[in-house]
Amino acid sequence: MSEVNDIPIDVLRHSAAHLLAHAVLDLYPETRTGIGPAVETGFYYDFLRQTPFTPDDLEKIEKRMKEIARENTPIERLVLTKDEAVRMFEEKKQDLKVELIREKGDATVTVYRQGPFADFCLGPHVASTGLLQNVKLLSVSGAYWKGDERGPQMQRIYGAVFATKKELEDHFRMLEEARKRDHRRLGAELDLFSTSDDLGGGLILWHPKGARVRAVIEDHWRERHWAGGYDILFTPHIGRATLWQTSGHLGFYKDSMYSPMDIDDQPYYLKPMNCPFHIQIYKSRMRSYRDLPLRWAELGTVYRYERSGTLHGLLRVRGFTQDDAHIICTPGQIESEILRVLDFSVSILADFGFIDNKIELSVRDPKNLGKYCGTDDLWCRAEASLVKALETRGYPYERMEGEAVFYGPKIDIKIKDALGRHWQCTTIQFDFNMSERFGMTYVGEDGQEHRPYMVHRALLGSLERFFGVLVEHYNGSFPLWLAPVQAVVLPIAERHEEYARALDRRLGENGLRSSVDLSREKVGKKIREAEIQKIPLILVVGDKEVERGTAALRVHGQGDKGEVDLARFIEQAKEFHRQKSLIVNF
RNA sequence: GCCAGCGUAGCUCAGCAGGUAGAGCGGCUGAUUUGUAAUCAGCGGGUCAGGGGUUCGAAUCCCUUCGCUGGCUCCA
């Protein structure tokens, strides 16, 4: 048993994918196999087959997988010449494998074989199928051969595998936990937001409590931006087609834009991005190098067409508010500006409790340099500034070659939620396209016109997505400073209501968001309600408290804290609120 | 958009070899005046997502539209 624990999880997963394909071919020999890698949460295998797999089929397949695992079939590694391998899979009528071998195979290729099943694969794999006992299939979905939508639609089966039964069970408990803290579920339970079929998909309705949190986030955002050297802008939601023509959006972004509306015989488009508007402001007058850098931020609401199947709660919507900013600077300023925006981003994410971030640097595809706009010099300088900023701070990052957008390199920060899942929020990207197309210039020391660098940046990303991630990260239990309702006062009996109301008022006068529960329920019920609503501070008042001018404090997640002096409690609560503390300790 | 699954009261779900709809919670009303996670009782509430078909009869079977979910592709 000790040896199974020593196997790297990716090897286990990849071997489980082979086990899956083995079982599928046993049961449905006409199936053609695609690829079957290990992924972050388990493994999958793609199959090409006339009839799609049903949930019943999955059960049968899983059963067969377990049988093969019990048979403990040895897994052997074969080294074949490319021709031998091609012949082998031609005999098996696995033309997709043949295609892969022809594309990817060197002079010799490796094939892993277990019983009748063989797969073209680099490996490594476990020694025998007996090590794959703790396996479970999760779901089946569509996928395209080589990810190409025009290619054949395949059936992808997902599964999970672990070294021990306990780990498998823990994994499913974790999935259940994730389901419980799904922002869509919590959004309804905590009355934060909703969507409506009558309204249309991907459009968010912010309820009073959700809007409250959003307003707190926005206020904090504005405060930090003004303090951080940014100016804040407002721009409209629509603009003339000519603007989008100039920006190039009608060329390269039209598929994501909604149909134009007609205003005085002129076509206008709903904005999918804010940049052209900021550029109009830039171009409203001459700019000198003395004016730069400009840091212009806006909470800009944009509308983008997203295909129906991609919509997902708050994380993928059709109308959203970006916390957008454009930094316009001279070439000499880019290094310091990039470092500054990186520090600023990391610092604001930390304000919200996100400190464990994953950073990706997306650069050009060296094999396809033609598809990018902007000169080589621009790119090199921009890339160097991004790398330098990351290295100056010593942040580990992943270099993603070919992941850059056509108009410039970028840094993405993916924040990690409490369950270890990553969500892309921050993006810092150079834009060589807009500055060129709009002919942005500034007058340099030499009196000549120069092209400024423009950096596009979304920090929280979109307020919708960020809020969704925040809800999941905190499991709905917002820290005091963000909580829609920070304190609730619970009178025990009717005779305590006046005192409770007065206390509620006093909290409000002290800048705390408070409410009072005047329902004719027992205090146990009121506490339960307040706990379910995840209200950080609960103040119970009865005869004793009225008499002494106190309250009994209960802190969400911490339980009963006993009687507190009101003046002292309010001062402490105000301080936690003012400090934007992520934890409170009375 | 594509593949698969799903759509029954505000929410969570039961009902399905086809005979005309049920529970819990929430809501409302009343009683209870309550001390740290659910007081009791009563009452409302559903063209079973919409449309079409098969049938004497459809929540249940078939077709279709819409929506949602899990993925694919894309992305803040």
Side-chain angles (χ1 to χ4, degrees):
Chain A
M1 225 34 210
S2 69
E3 49 187 281
V4 73
N5 285 314
D6 296 338
I7 300 167
I9 187 70
D10 278 356
V11 173
L12 210 60
R13 284 170 177 159
H14 194 177
S15 297
H18 279 212
L19 179 64
L20 166 58
H22 182 170
V24 167
L25 289 178
D26 274 4
L27 294 166
Y28 313 97
E30 77 289 358
T31 307
R32 286 179 290 159
T33 57
I35 56 165
V39 290
E40 218 175 317
T41 54
F43 61 91
Y44 69 79
Y45 214 111
D46 286 344
F47 301 99
L48 192 59
R49 187 167 174 258
Q50 297 294 338
T51 46
F53 294 110
T54 65
D56 283 349
D57 292 337
L58 282 199
E59 271 181 45
K60 282 184 209 137
I61 294 164
E62 189 180 304
K63 198 167 150 243
R64 181 68 196 127
M65 286 169 75
K66 287 182 173 156
E67 283 166 15
I68 300 168
R70 272 196 299 276
E71 286 160 14
N72 199 13
T73 310
I75 298 172
E76 50 177 332
R77 177 173 183 268
L78 309 175
V79 179
L80 307 176
T81 67
K82 193 168 180 173
D83 287 344
E84 285 170 337
V86 166
R87 265 199 304 283
M88 179 175 182
F89 286 94
E90 271 171 353
E91 272 167 35
K92 290 176 177 291
K93 299 201 174 12
Q94 291 294 348
D95 54 304
L96 300 178
K97 285 290 168 194
V98 171
E99 188 180 328
L100 287 176
I101 295 165
R102 290 212 164 108
E103 270 172 30
K104 298 191 172 184
D106 294 324
T108 63
V109 303
T110 52
V111 169
Y112 281 81
R113 185 162 70 187
Q114 53 195 68
F117 174 76
D119 205 347
F120 162 57
C121 173
L122 283 171
H125 282 282
V126 299
S128 71
T129 60
L131 296 161
L132 304 167
Q133 306 273 353
N134 299 296
V135 66
K136 185 143 187 66
L137 296 183
L138 295 169
S139 61
V140 58
S141 69
Y144 302 98
W145 174 236
K146 294 179 180 168
D148 182 354
E149 281 186 38
R150 290 155 305 188
Q153 173 110 36
M154 305 188 68
Q155 305 294 317
R156 175 170 297 179
I157 299 178
Y158 282 89
V161 65
F162 287 92
T164 63
K165 192 166 182 202
K166 185 180 175 300
E167 287 170 89
L168 184 70
E169 285 167 354
D170 286 349
H171 178 69
F172 277 86
R173 259 192 294 280
M174 196 276 283
L175 288 182
E176 176 58 21
E177 174 62 21
R179 206 177 63 82
K180 273 194 227 148
R181 63 164 67 196
D182 188 309
H183 72 280
R184 292 166 299 183
R185 169 196 272 257
L186 286 169
E189 280 173 8
L190 303 179
D191 200 15
L192 300 171
F193 70 92
S194 65
T195 54
S196 152
D197 289 355
D198 286 338
L199 214 199
L203 301 168
I204 304 303
L205 297 163
W206 294 75
H207 296 201
K209 284 181 186 160
R212 186 90 228 198
V213 182
R214 173 168 169 168
V216 173
I217 295 170
E218 289 183 356
D219 288 347
H220 180 68
W221 182 92
R222 270 188 282 269
E223 203 180 288
R224 293 275 336 239
H225 275 71
W226 275 318
Y230 284 79
D231 286 305
I232 291 176
L233 313 175
F234 291 100
T235 67
H237 288 65
I238 58 172
R240 287 177 63 180
T242 47
L243 179 77
W244 304 108
Q245 203 75 56
T246 306
S247 70
H249 285 94
L250 286 178
F252 64 81
Y253 208 72
K254 198 166 198 295
D255 288 349
S256 296
M257 293 169 70
Y258 293 102
S259 315
M261 62 196 95
D262 192 288
I263 300 178
D264 290 343
D265 293 328
Q266 289 287 327
Y268 281 68
Y269 283 87
L270 214 39
K271 70 174 171 186
M273 290 187 190
N274 303 300
C275 2
F277 296 78
H278 291 197
I279 292 170
Q280 294 309 299
I281 296 175
Y282 182 84
K283 292 188 56 158
S284 67
R285 46 164 285 190
M286 288 277 286
R287 302 288 173 181
S288 149
Y289 72 97
R290 294 174 192 277
D291 299 327
L292 305 183
L294 290 166
R295 303 185 199 96
W296 286 346
E298 176 182 14
L299 295 171
T301 303
V302 296
Y303 291 87
R304 297 181 186 173
Y305 172 71
E306 300 287 351
R307 296 193 290 179
S308 58
T310 63
L311 301 176
H312 179 91
L314 292 173
L315 302 181
R316 191 72 185 275
V317 296
R318 285 179 171 160
F320 57 98
T321 300
Q322 289 185 306
D323 68 319
D324 215 350
H326 293 93
I327 297 159
I328 302 165
C329 66
T330 67
Q333 292 166 332
I334 63 166
E335 273 193 18
S336 61
E337 284 304 307
I338 291 295
L339 187 60
R340 181 181 181 125
V341 69
L342 183 66
D343 284 343
F344 189 64
S345 302
V346 167
S347 166
I348 289 185
L349 292 176
D351 291 345
F352 292 95
F354 297 110
I355 44 173
D356 196 358
N357 308 315
K358 190 163 90 176
I359 302 182
E360 290 175 357
L361 171 70
S362 297
V363 298
R364 285 181 294 183
D365 179 358
K367 283 175 293 210
N368 199 0
L369 292 175
K371 73 170 189 180
Y372 300 96
C373 74
T375 63
D376 202 51
D377 180 55
L378 281 173
W379 276 85
C380 290
R381 201 153 178 173
E383 250 180 69
S385 70
L386 294 174
V387 169
K388 176 134 193 230
L390 290 169
E391 285 176 356
T392 301
R393 288 293 172 258
Y395 295 139
Y397 65 93
E398 199 178 342
R399 189 183 170 86
M400 315 283 280
E401 279 193 353
E403 289 300 306
V405 258
F406 74 90
Y407 50 78
K410 62 172 180 171
I411 288 174
D412 290 329
I413 303 179
K414 300 192 171 185
I415 60 183
K416 188 176 170 187
D417 77 5
L419 291 173
R421 293 171 301 184
H422 292 277
W423 300 96
Q424 196 204 309
C425 289
T426 305
T427 181
I428 300 169
Q429 43 193 57
F430 277 90
D431 193 331
F432 304 135
N433 187 45
M434 291 294 140
S435 49
E436 198 67 41
R437 283 175 166 273
F438 281 100
M440 292 166 73
T441 57
Y442 66 91
V443 179
E445 282 176 81
D446 55 3
Q448 302 295 305
E449 289 199 337
H450 299 274
R451 182 80 71 229
Y453 268 93
M454 183 165 100
V455 175
H456 170 103
R457 172 233 83 171
L459 204 167
L460 306 177
S462 81
L463 286 165
E464 285 74 9
R465 177 176 288 180
F466 187 75
F467 181 66
V469 176
L470 202 58
V471 168
E472 300 203 3
H473 180 65
Y474 285 116
N475 194 13
S477 301
F478 293 107
L480 185 74
W481 75 282
L482 285 166
V485 179
Q486 297 175 307
V488 62
V489 185
L490 311 183
I492 286 173
E494 202 170 348
R495 62 179 178 279
H496 311 124
E497 283 184 5
E498 199 189 317
Y499 181 81
R501 261 198 283 255
L503 176 52
D504 174 43
R505 222 166 22 244
R506 185 168 165 194
L507 292 168
E509 283 159 3
N510 277 279
L512 294 166
R513 298 185 290 274
S514 149
S515 69
V516 56
D517 183 350
L518 298 175
S519 63
R520 297 289 150 76
E521 296 288 351
K522 290 166 83 166
V523 72
K525 173 69 177 274
K526 293 183 182 182
I527 285 170
R528 181 179 154 80
E529 287 302 315
E531 289 287 354
I532 288 172
Q533 285 301 308
K534 301 169 191 272
I535 297 168
L537 305 172
I538 298 170
L539 295 161
V540 180
V541 295
D543 289 337
K544 204 165 68 181
E545 289 75 18
V546 171
E547 191 186 319
R548 298 196 223 166
T550 59
L553 173 67
R554 186 185 166 102
V555 179
H556 178 70
Q558 297 178 29
D560 193 354
K561 307 293 266 190
E563 199 173 2
V564 293
D565 174 72
L566 289 184
R568 190 174 137 76
F569 163 76
I570 289 170
E571 279 318 303
Q572 285 180 311
K574 277 167 75 173
E575 190 57 15
F576 289 129
H577 174 74
R578 201 183 61 76
Q579 298 272 351
K580 302 181 177 170
S581 309
L582 297 176
I583 46 167
V584 294
N585 190 12
F586 286 88

